[in-house]
Amino acid sequence: MSHRQRAAYRDRHPQCQLCRCRPTAAVDHDAVTGHVRGAVCRSCNSWLGSMEAALRVPKRAMQQQAAYLHWRFEADGRAALAHYAGEVSYLGLTVKEFAGGLLAVRRLLSVPCVYWTGQAAGPAREIRWTKTGPLADAEEAERHHRRLRSACGVAVVVTAFEPDDGVNSPSPRGLVKPFTGSPQHHYGSRRTGRLPGGGQQGAVGPGLPGRA
């Protein structure tokens, strides 16, 4: 679709076709087939990109929203993907298929690493990180977290579960989550290797990580 065709499509659909409450800002399409799915606002477009990113093993840094989707679904089995209804079917997926995709990616992200920086900012490409890892397990990651949290000059500490592909990334990638001090909360149901069943759609409230 050309730039002119995109502009004409947005003109024909001035309101987001998903949330139906904000003005259109982009034309959404299937990244694989190129099929146009609808006209969406910036917020919904960001969530859609995160949903698709959540089902792929990252080459560098996984989007914060995509990581959030993994952790949220692993914690309670809810496909709480956005504040509007019907987002999974919009992608041509059932909740079960989406859960299966998350689990398949989760199993590939098996190497825990701890990253820390003295800069007061979250994961970003321009941030310079110091890396510890790969680590043996979640318990070892927790020990490093506790040590770094008490160290002077450390502003941000995160753990990233990364693919076992030999890539020595200079910045966090994979499933990234800030340390909370609670291994169960931090690592969810990782020890069972199983996502909770019976996923049900839920609503995401304001103030969640990565929300546009």
Side-chain angles (χ1 to χ4, degrees):
M1 180 179 282
S2 67
H3 179 74
R4 180 175 295 180
Q5 289 173 321
R6 287 176 182 271
Y9 190 90
R10 291 198 304 269
D11 289 342
R12 293 195 301 272
H13 304 87
Q15 191 176 58
C16 178
Q17 293 179 274
L18 285 175
C19 69
R20 302 187 185 281
C21 65
R22 286 186 290 266
T24 291
V27 177
D28 176 53
H29 66 281
D30 187 309
V32 177
T33 66
H35 173 69
V36 174
R37 293 186 293 214
V40 295
C41 65
R42 285 187 175 85
S43 179
C44 291
N45 192 44
S46 176
W47 273 102
L48 288 168
S50 297
M51 285 181 244
E52 293 178 320
L55 303 177
R56 300 192 300 268
V57 176
K59 295 184 182 299
R60 187 176 169 87
M62 178 176 274
Q63 295 181 34
Q64 287 182 311
Q65 287 175 318
Y68 167 70
L69 296 178
H70 279 269
W71 294 112
R72 177 63 181 267
F73 202 94
E74 186 166 311
D76 59 17
R78 297 173 64 199
L81 309 179
H83 68 279
Y84 50 78
E87 66 281 291
V88 178
S89 60
Y90 179 86
L91 290 174
L93 299 171
T94 64
V95 172
K96 184 176 180 179
E97 288 170 336
F98 184 81
L102 291 183
L103 180 57
V105 172
R106 188 72 174 89
R107 285 172 173 163
L108 294 174
L109 302 175
S110 58
V111 179
C113 298
V114 172
Y115 293 82
W116 64 272
T117 178
Q119 298 174 258
R125 291 189 178 185
E126 63 272 14
I127 301 298
R128 178 168 293 184
W129 296 90
T130 299
K131 177 181 180 180
T132 301
L135 302 171
D137 51 32
E139 286 72 19
E140 185 178 2
E142 181 188 359
R143 289 195 297 272
H144 282 285
H145 270 298
R146 294 188 184 282
R147 176 178 60 83
L148 288 167
R149 287 178 72 200
S150 62
C152 295
V154 176
V156 180
V157 184
V158 299
T159 286
F161 287 102
E162 303 178 349
D164 186 15
D165 56 7
V167 174
N168 185 22
S169 175
S171 61
R173 66 185 186 125
L175 290 183
V176 178
K177 190 174 179 68
F179 180 62
T180 63
S182 167
Q184 181 61 30
H185 177 73
H186 182 68
Y187 298 104
S189 58
R190 176 174 171 76
R191 292 174 185 169
T192 68
R194 180 177 59 85
L195 287 169
Q200 295 180 353
Q201 216 166 354
V204 170
L208 292 170
R211 174 89 182 255

